[in-house]
């Protein structure tokens, strides 16, 4: 169903909400859910002269549906990265392991945290929620990191010292990716964490 959101930022319009999506067991794991979701995305991207869809969200998604939705949003972001992402947040194919070990500053540039202001702008273009943009962005960065370091690690001309450097740099890159995700989570749950006094409870959150 859909409803009009007059106070939606950055612009008002229709919000489309998916309540339920059912694929019968014999037809599951065949790609039908992905095709259905992609058709919905195609529909909401077509702006009508009278009513403009500004967001697609889901009422209470299960884990499987969330994974499907994240994949579709990630693929959309990856395909349209030059249109959606400012240059400093895009993935570059620079071989950062060429001669020297990666330093922390270079790795931070590869995995910058996406600020909420940019998240809101991208969400309005993708017509999804801000949280979905962050999920897609993190998958986009994770995919880049895995592909980049995998491509280097299978280099047949690598020596023993090169492989040791690659392992060290790969571990450092994974650390920076985790830090990027943790910073976003800390910001998301800052209010909840601040309301807890017990240290053990804060660590659990």
């Amino acid at each position: 169903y859909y409803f009009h959101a007059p106070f939606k930022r950055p612009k008002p319009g229709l919000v489309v909400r998916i309540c339920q999506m059912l694929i019968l067991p014999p037809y599951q794991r065949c790609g039908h859910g992905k095709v259905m979701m992609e058709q919905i995305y195609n529909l909401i991207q077509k702006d009508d002269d009278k009513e403009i869809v500004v967001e697609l969200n889901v009422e209470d998604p299960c884990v499987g549906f969330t994974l499907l939705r994240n994949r579709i949003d990630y693929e959309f972001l990856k395909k349209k990265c030059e249109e959606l992402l400012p240059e400093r947040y895009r993935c570059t194919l620079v071989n950062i392991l060429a001669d020297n070990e990666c330093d922390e500053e270079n790795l931070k540039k590869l995995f910058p945290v996406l600020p909420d202001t940019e998240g809101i702008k991208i969400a309005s273009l993708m017509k999804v929620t801000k949280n979905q943009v962050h999920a897609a962005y993190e998958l986009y960065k994770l995919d880049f990191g895995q592909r980049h370091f995998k491509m280097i690690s299978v280099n047949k001309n690598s020596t023993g010292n090169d492989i040791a450097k690659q392992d060290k740099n790969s571990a450092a890159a994974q650390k920076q990716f985790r830090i990027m995700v943790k910073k976003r989570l800390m910001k998301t749950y800052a209010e909840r964490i601040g309301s807890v006094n017990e240290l053990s409870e804060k660590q659990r959150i």
Side-chain angles (χ1 to χ4, degrees):
Y1 69 93
Y2 62 89
F3 59 90
H4 185 67
F7 303 108
K8 180 70 179 173
R9 294 183 179 180
K11 61 181 179 181
L14 293 179
V15 173
V16 177
R17 178 165 295 171
I18 298 174
C19 298
Q20 295 179 354
M21 184 172 176
L22 174 66
I23 305 292
L24 296 174
Y27 307 104
Q28 293 176 3
R29 305 291 179 183
C30 297
H32 299 306
K34 187 171 185 288
V35 172
M36 289 173 65
M37 283 295 293
E38 286 174 342
Q39 289 302 313
I40 294 172
Y41 274 64
N42 290 337
L43 286 172
I44 66 169
Q45 290 297 327
K46 296 178 181 178
D47 291 337
D48 187 272
D49 292 336
K50 296 180 180 179
E51 296 287 359
I52 297 175
V53 175
V54 293
E55 182 180 286
L56 171 69
N57 58 42
V58 184
E59 192 167 272
D60 188 18
C62 65
V63 174
F65 187 88
T66 299
L67 294 175
L68 170 64
R69 184 184 178 198
N70 289 348
R71 178 182 174 183
I72 292 172
D73 289 337
Y74 148 70
E75 289 178 351
F76 187 89
L77 180 66
K78 183 179 178 181
K79 182 180 178 180
K80 303 276 188 179
C81 65
E82 292 189 1
E83 300 173 25
L84 299 172
L85 288 173
E87 187 175 357
R88 71 180 298 255
Y89 300 106
R90 295 178 207 156
C91 292
T92 58
L93 294 177
V94 177
N95 186 346
I96 57 174
L97 305 178
D99 298 311
N100 303 312
E101 294 183 5
C102 304
D103 58 34
E104 191 173 340
E105 291 304 314
N106 282 333
L107 286 172
K108 284 181 179 178
K109 292 176 183 178
L110 284 177
F111 299 103
V113 177
L114 187 69
D116 284 344
T117 51
E118 293 296 339
I120 292 171
K121 290 178 184 178
I122 297 168
S124 67
L125 296 172
M126 291 178 63
K127 301 189 177 180
V128 297
T129 63
K130 184 184 69 175
N131 288 341
Q132 280 303 116
V133 170
H134 283 295
Y137 175 73
E138 287 165 8
L139 286 172
Y140 171 70
K141 286 294 183 179
L142 178 63
D143 175 65
F144 165 74
Q146 288 179 333
R147 286 188 297 106
H148 185 64
F149 290 110
K150 184 177 180 181
M151 284 193 297
I152 296 168
S153 64
V154 296
N155 186 350
K156 295 180 180 179
N157 297 321
S158 297
T159 64
N161 289 334
D162 290 335
I163 293 172
K165 269 186 183 180
Q166 290 163 12
D167 289 342
K168 183 178 179 179
N169 290 326
S170 180
Q174 291 176 33
K175 178 183 176 182
Q176 287 302 319
F177 173 78
R178 291 196 300 270
I179 290 172
M180 179 191 75
V181 174
K182 285 179 180 179
K183 284 181 178 178
R184 194 263 305 169
L185 291 174
M186 286 291 291
K187 191 171 184 179
T188 301
Y189 297 103
E191 185 175 345
R192 184 178 174 186
I193 294 172
S195 64
V196 176
N197 294 323
E198 293 292 333
L199 179 61
S200 59
E201 183 64 15
K202 287 185 178 181
Q203 290 174 341
R204 188 186 68 80
I205 294 174

